[in-house]
Amino acid sequence: MAALGRLSQALLRSSLTQSRRQLSASAHDHGEQSARTWKILTFVVALPGVAVCMLNMYLKEQSHSHEQPEFVPYSHLRIRSKRFPWGDGNKSLFHNPHVNALPDGYEGHDE
Amino acid sequence: MAHQAHAYHMVDPSPWPLTGAVAALLVTSGTAIWFHFNSTILMTLGTMLLLLTMYQWWRDIIREGTFQGHHTPPVQKGLRYGMILFITSEVFFFLGFFWAFYHSSLAPTPDLGGCWPPAGITTLDPFEVPLLNTAVLLASGVTVTWAHHSIMEGDRKPAIQSLALTILLGFYFTFLQGLEYFEAPFTIADGVYGSTFFVATGFHGLHVIIGSTFLAVCLLRQIQYHFTSEHHFGFEAAAWYWHFVDVVWLFLYISIYWWGS
């Protein structure tokens, strides 16, 4: 709780003092460097990090099997105590027939 | 013409608090009516009224602050406190859903198979899309900081570019999450795993959309010369909100995606 108060003080202070610091930025150069620093961080660390993760995804996708998960009629899954307020009330909002089985099994298949 | 002998903002009478309250009533009761009586008219009406209220109320605040000079330093300080308190309340909102997740996952009940993840749940690989999403949000935190420093240094073009990049990263996250939602082998109806997963990540996704919208408004304002190097609180509030969204994701990633898999 006290830490939260201190954090808010720091936020208030830092934003206000930063603007005050900027007023004297013309006196020395370090103020102008900050944007450049974050620009460098963006293109050297942040965006390459995203690119690496995208590459990782692409490579993992290739070695994936796209099998349908086995259907076991567990009673603790596929709960339908109240129907969904759309369609036939049996499919979730992001229903994907390939990977989401209905309570009786996958659609279009006979178990 | 009357002058005030203080630095505070005595706001003019406004209809938006009332329309906002009416909208809240219509949205909530309308949703209940949709669930029980299969009619969406009240909910739709409420949502439209809510959107109109938000647009006009915040437009008026921009007019008062940017064009009429009412946002003096003490007024700005109050706005800062307000945003901090609001974000704090949102922290508690998410705390509840994390509580629910840990309550269910630390002591999994026999009907789930006494294990977490529950029997029959195929979890998402935390080192595929979720890891990419983490990188995307962390990168957007860097770009929004670049934008802030650009604004403070009066660099108009880099500010616009970095802010636009931040918003694009936000959209990319939303797109990836949408894909994940559609590809997930489990749904919200798959017991307590599905409930905690989709409610926690769902509300987070909603906050990403809200944060992206807030940043987009800031981008439009920056293009229209609203911000000065000393006074740009709207942007700071958006940046704070965006960092908050990023931090919530980190907790979600560690707790639900990684530990919970």
Side-chain angles (χ1 to χ4, degrees):
Chain A
M1 270 306 114
L4 211 57
R6 252 176 271 134
L7 171 65
S8 51
Q9 290 283 21
L11 276 168
L12 281 163
R13 221 182 301 119
S14 66
S15 316
L16 294 171
T17 50
Q18 258 181 341
S19 4
R20 252 180 266 135
R21 241 185 276 132
Q22 271 320 108
L23 290 170
S24 62
S26 47
H28 39 86
D29 199 47
H30 81 275
E32 268 113 69
Q33 290 307 312
S34 301
R36 198 165 150 265
T37 304
W38 288 99
K39 181 177 179 180
I40 290 169
L41 281 171
T42 297
F43 290 108
V44 173
V45 179
L47 293 182
V50 171
V52 162
C53 289
M54 286 170 75
L55 178 65
N56 172 54
M57 281 256 17
Y58 176 72
L59 296 172
K60 281 203 164 187
E61 260 301 300
Q62 290 185 321
S63 57
H64 253 187
S65 74
H66 287 266
E67 291 283 303
Q68 206 175 44
E70 191 202 343
F71 176 73
V72 179
Y74 288 115
S75 57
H76 66 280
L77 299 181
R78 293 167 277 271
I79 295 174
R80 295 290 187 273
S81 20
K82 185 174 179 60
R83 54 182 292 276
F84 292 106
W86 49 75
D88 64 358
N90 206 17
K91 300 182 182 137
S92 68
L93 194 60
F94 294 87
H95 179 75
N96 180 347
H98 181 67
V99 288
N100 299 136
L102 296 180
D104 293 328
Y106 288 101
E107 288 161 88
H109 293 250
D110 283 328
E111 288 298 313
Chain B
M1 191 167 97
H3 291 98
Q4 58 185 51
H6 60 81
Y8 295 96
H9 184 194
M10 303 301 286
V11 188
D12 290 329
S14 163
W16 313 130
L18 180 61
T19 61
V22 170
L25 172 65
L26 291 179
V27 168
T28 47
S29 52
T31 306
I33 286 177
W34 175 41
F35 286 168
H36 293 282
F37 303 113
N38 200 35
S39 160
T40 55
I41 178 79
L42 221 57
M43 184 180 71
T44 312
L45 193 60
T47 308
M48 288 195 323
L49 187 56
L50 183 63
L51 291 168
L52 281 171
T53 301
M54 291 193 291
Y55 174 74
Q56 291 174 106
W57 196 338
W58 281 320
R59 174 207 64 193
D60 285 354
I61 293 173
I62 292 171
R63 285 174 174 176
E64 291 159 3
T66 304
F67 302 134
Q68 296 176 344
H70 286 289
H71 290 182
T72 60
V75 171
Q76 221 197 102
K77 193 167 178 206
L79 292 169
R80 286 175 193 279
Y81 272 124
M83 192 65 194
I84 289 166
L85 288 170
F86 173 65
I87 292 177
T88 306
S89 75
E90 295 248 79
V91 168
F92 282 105
F93 179 71
F94 277 97
L95 233 47
F97 297 122
F98 278 100
W99 183 352
F101 168 73
Y102 278 111
H103 173 97
S104 302
S105 59
L106 284 168
T109 53
D111 61 299
L112 303 175
C115 54
W116 194 275
I121 292 281
T122 318
T123 60
L124 301 169
D125 185 345
F127 300 110
E128 289 192 14
V129 175
L131 183 63
L132 175 55
N133 272 342
T134 305
V136 168
L137 282 186
L138 287 175
S140 70
V142 174
T143 54
V144 81
T145 308
W146 173 20
H148 190 193
H149 284 275
S150 299
I151 290 174
M152 286 192 290
E153 291 170 21
D155 287 336
R156 176 181 164 78
K157 227 175 80 164
I160 290 170
Q161 288 171 349
S162 48
L163 189 44
L165 190 49
T166 308
I167 295 164
L168 280 174
L169 287 166
F171 283 167
Y172 188 33
F173 176 94
T174 304
F175 167 75
L176 288 168
Q177 266 302 62
L179 231 54
E180 278 286 86
Y181 270 26
F182 190 61
E183 297 291 330
F186 52 88
T187 72
I188 196 172
D190 281 326
V192 73
Y193 184 88
S195 304
T196 50
F197 181 90
F198 283 105
V199 169
T201 62
F203 272 116
H204 174 262
L206 182 61
H207 284 69
V208 171
I209 292 167
I210 291 168
S212 302
T213 309
F214 196 170
L215 288 166
V217 168
C218 287
L219 179 60
L220 290 173
R221 293 186 67 199
Q222 164 67 8
I223 290 170
Q224 290 175 37
Y225 300 93
H226 286 201
F227 299 135
T228 73
S229 55
E230 260 94 75
H231 189 171
H232 45 262
F233 175 64
F235 172 82
E236 287 181 79
W240 291 352
Y241 195 80
W242 192 250
H243 288 306
F244 156 72
V245 159
D246 189 3
V247 170
V248 170
W249 170 259
L250 294 174
F251 279 99
L252 282 173
Y253 180 70
I254 302 285
S255 307
I256 297 182
Y257 285 92
W258 197 349
W259 177 81
S261 68

